[in-house]
Amino acid sequence: MPKLTNHEEVKQSIAEAAWRVILEHGMEGASVRTIAKEADLSLGALRYYFKTQDELVAYSRELVYKRTAERMGRVFKLDMPPKDKIVQVLLNLLPSSEEKRLEVEARLVFKVYTRHKGEKFDAQQDSVYIAIKEVMSYLVLLNLLKKDADLHLETERLYCLMDGLALDAMIRPELLEANRMKRIIIYHLNSSCSEKFGNVGW
Amino acid sequence: MPKLTNHEEVKQSIAEAAWRVILEHGMEGASVRTIAKEADLSLGALRYYFKTQDELVAYSRELVYKRTAERMGRVFKLDMPPKDKIVQVLLNLLPSSEEKRLEVEARLVFKVYTRHKGEKFDAQQDSVYIAIKEVMSYLVLLNLLKKDADLHLETERLYCLMDGLALDAMIRPELLEANRMKRIIIYHLNSSCSEKFGNVGW
């Protein structure tokens, strides 16, 4: 492990180790001991950063949101035609690279886990929901949505579709490779918008 | 527990106990011991029916598929106008009653679990995918799909949307109650079809 002197950096590297353990073994295998081992730390050292497993899980989930929001910020700032950008934002919510894969899959597992923990899920805090709302605002701003579109239902539909796509990409990665996700996203945008997205960004 | 003399019935009641335990505690809490307790059986009695935990999990997952397929079969046979029936089929894939909730949520957890187990997921075996394909065939038969619709992409899109809706309904049940799921489904059908589904079946 590279030398990390910054407190926050160590916490992040522990959270990343937690993601890997959770994705490899599920929540059931994500004991503090296993995460410490994955992070190359002693149990005592890990406990210095996180007093309890709940604290570690909460931090790891928050870090997923934070990283997703940062990535979305970068994509929104890219210098490219609006339609390309919208496609890129949505593709960036799917596990199309190893770095994203960890984040995207960890987010889904955390989302399912909310149910087991009996916690309340607040979509407004979910960086994916926030990104979808921005995409919709962007479509409205550019006057791309169909005249009879219902903004609220379009938002909720796209949010659920992106979750389903992410889940499917996690379970059937071979289909992700085949550009299937991009085709579905463009097909969906074409069905919601008045102008064709065509083969934009392929 | 009512007296169960049939071997298969006991196996099913154990599998249902497994669903409840998995949804309550996640896969991490689904030890054979906990499931035996939930099923009101001794550990020895449970082991008579399932030699290993893997065997029990595999059977429980298969039972989800079987029950979903049976439910779909019943809905497809209902005597109602075609559009109403399509809406009913899709609504029946969501956790809108306690009986369905167990099945729908257990299916999602099993699907995510495939990834942790490193198993291959075959959508063709998934009763939800099979139901979606039947819905699409039905739409084609009735000539309801838009002229420029891509049958394959529509199928995959609806499959992912239904997974995302089920996940969301599991995490945010309060929104399910508000008929939001039905509105999204009808909105989606209207966007994919040449004829309006309107407020059918409300």
Side-chain angles (χ1 to χ4, degrees), chain A residues 23-24 28 101 105 111 115-116 121 123 150 154 156-157 160 164 168 171-172 180 187-188 191, chain B residues 23-24 28 101 105 111 115-116 121 123 150 154 156-157 160 164 171-172 180 187-188 191:
Chain A
L23 292 176
E24 186 71 25
E28 69 263 46
R101 192 185 65 77
E105 297 189 358
K111 192 166 175 177
R115 167 69 179 75
H116 300 149
F121 180 80
D150 179 312
E154 286 286 356
E156 298 289 312
R157 177 166 74 137
C160 289
D168 218 46
I171 308 298
R172 299 192 288 168
R180 172 174 154 276
Y187 187 82
H188 182 78
S191 85
Chain B
L23 292 177
E24 186 71 26
E28 68 264 45
R101 191 185 65 79
E105 296 190 358
K111 192 167 175 177
R115 166 69 179 76
H116 299 150
F121 180 80
D150 179 312
E154 286 286 356
E156 298 289 312
R157 178 166 74 137
C160 288
I171 309 297
R172 298 192 288 169
R180 173 174 154 274
Y187 187 82
H188 183 79
S191 86

Side-chain angles (χ1 to χ4, degrees), chain A residues 64-194:
Chain A
V64 168
Y65 287 165
K66 188 168 169 279
R67 291 275 175 86
T68 308
E70 285 166 0
R71 190 150 40 79
M72 288 300 111
R74 285 195 298 276
V75 180
F76 269 112
K77 276 183 201 142
L78 288 175
D79 184 21
M80 52 166 66
K83 287 183 190 172
D84 282 350
K85 197 180 287 189
I86 288 166
V87 174
Q88 283 308 315
V89 167
L90 296 178
L91 280 175
N92 266 277
L93 295 174
L94 298 176
S96 53
S97 74
E98 187 58 23
E99 180 214 348
K100 275 185 289 184
R101 192 185 65 77
L102 264 179
E103 277 175 40
V104 172
E105 297 189 358
R107 175 184 159 272
L108 277 179
V109 174
F110 284 128
K111 192 166 175 177
V112 173
Y113 189 62
T114 322
R115 167 69 179 75
H116 300 149
K117 292 279 284 181
E119 288 169 2
K120 211 166 158 58
F121 180 80
D122 182 4
Q124 308 294 332
Q125 304 291 320
D126 179 359
S127 48
V128 171
Y129 191 68
I130 295 165
I132 298 293
K133 285 207 295 184
E134 282 186 55
V135 163
M136 298 312 297
S137 304
Y138 210 43
L139 290 173
V140 170
L141 190 72
L142 296 166
N143 206 20
L144 283 173
L145 273 189
K146 279 186 179 157
K147 290 282 165 284
D148 58 350
D150 179 312
L151 184 59
H152 178 67
L153 289 177
E154 286 286 356
T155 307
E156 298 289 312
R157 177 166 74 137
L158 186 54
Y159 179 55
C160 289
L161 178 63
M162 293 308 296
D163 265 0
L165 282 170
L167 177 63
D168 218 46
M170 171 172 161
I171 308 298
R172 299 192 288 168
E174 70 277 12
L175 294 175
L176 183 70
E177 299 306 320
N179 256 333
R180 172 174 154 276
M181 298 289 154
K182 199 183 260 180
R183 288 176 62 208
I184 296 178
I185 286 173
I186 291 177
Y187 187 82
H188 182 78
L189 289 170
N190 283 342
S191 85
S192 302
C193 294
S194 52

Side-chain angles (χ1 to χ4, degrees), chain B residues 126-180:
Chain B
D126 179 359
S127 48
V128 171
Y129 191 69
I130 295 166
I132 298 292
K133 285 207 297 185
E134 282 187 55
V135 163
M136 297 312 297
S137 304
Y138 210 44
L139 290 174
V140 170
L141 190 72
L142 296 167
N143 205 21
L144 283 174
L145 273 189
K146 278 185 179 157
K147 290 283 166 284
D148 59 349
D150 179 312
L151 184 60
H152 178 67
L153 289 177
E154 286 286 356
T155 306
E156 298 289 312
R157 178 166 74 137
L158 186 54
Y159 179 55
C160 288
L161 178 63
M162 293 309 296
D163 265 1
L165 282 169
L167 177 62
D168 218 46
M170 173 172 159
I171 309 297
R172 298 192 288 169
E174 70 277 13
L175 294 176
L176 183 70
E177 300 306 323
N179 257 333
R180 173 174 154 274

